[in-house]
Amino acid sequence: GGANATAQCRGGDLLRLESAGFDDGDAAALLLNGAQLVPSPGSRGINAAWLRPSDLGLVAADAFDTHGSAAESDRLVEWLDPIPNGDLVVMAVRDEAAGAMTEALREVLEAAFNGTMVRDVGMRSSYVLAGYVAGSSPLVERASRAGLGSVSATVCFAAGAR
């Protein structure tokens, strides 16, 4: 639970990601030490935040309606492009993100974070990802098809060990 995760992260920083597709709660949250990185309950599509690895400071956050428009998939690809290797990106889907998710976006998420579940994101799926750009594998990645429940994950960054 949350209290236990916080206790285990004493002195460090706790990142929590939550995603619920339309049928499973219709919400997304990106939380660092309990503070929202994107406005609650998130926007339809992919909610994303870029964090500096040195202090987990928020560089930028945005929402991309990859259900409504392929142009939003392109905008997310463009948003990710300047992020330096080694910086941290976190994402959570709210409502629906697959309707206009392009092959180019799926390829970028696979290449940038070595994600293995982005192709599992279908209509109204829940999905979270946290990873360092060009890292060997995501810190966390979880996906659930519509109607099979929301997904969440926590990552504890020990003090001074990012």
Side-chain angles (χ1 to χ4, degrees), residues 3-161:
N4 189 31
T6 302
Q8 291 172 359
C9 204
R10 195 173 308 284
D13 292 296
L14 182 69
L15 177 67
R16 181 159 177 82
L17 313 174
E18 301 172 357
S19 169
F22 182 82
D23 299 324
D24 296 298
D26 192 21
L30 301 171
L31 302 149
L32 182 63
N33 298 321
Q36 285 278 2
L37 298 173
V38 297
S40 179
S43 296
R44 181 176 74 180
I46 298 174
N47 297 267
W50 165 14
L51 305 171
R52 282 188 306 271
S54 58
D55 61 359
L56 298 180
L58 180 64
V59 178
D62 207 340
F64 304 87
D65 184 2
T66 58
H67 167 76
S69 165
E72 287 289 284
S73 284
D74 295 342
R75 195 169 69 83
L76 177 51
V77 168
E78 291 167 10
W79 187 84
L80 290 166
D81 186 60
I83 300 176
N85 287 354
D87 277 20
L88 180 62
V89 174
V90 296
M91 299 180 182
V93 165
R94 175 181 176 208
D95 182 5
E96 209 297 296
M101 185 183 288
T102 62
E103 178 63 18
L105 175 56
R106 291 180 196 270
E107 289 174 1
V108 163
L109 294 177
E110 288 171 335
F113 305 103
N114 284 297
T116 60
M117 298 180 178
V118 69
R119 296 199 182 272
D120 297 334
V121 177
M123 186 67 162
R124 295 184 171 170
S125 290
S126 302
Y127 178 74
V128 297
L129 173 103
Y132 295 106
V133 175
S136 59
S137 63
L139 293 171
V140 295
E141 185 182 30
R142 301 223 178 13
S144 178
R145 295 204 177 271
L148 297 179
S150 60
V151 293
S152 63
T154 56
V155 180
C156 178
F157 297 89

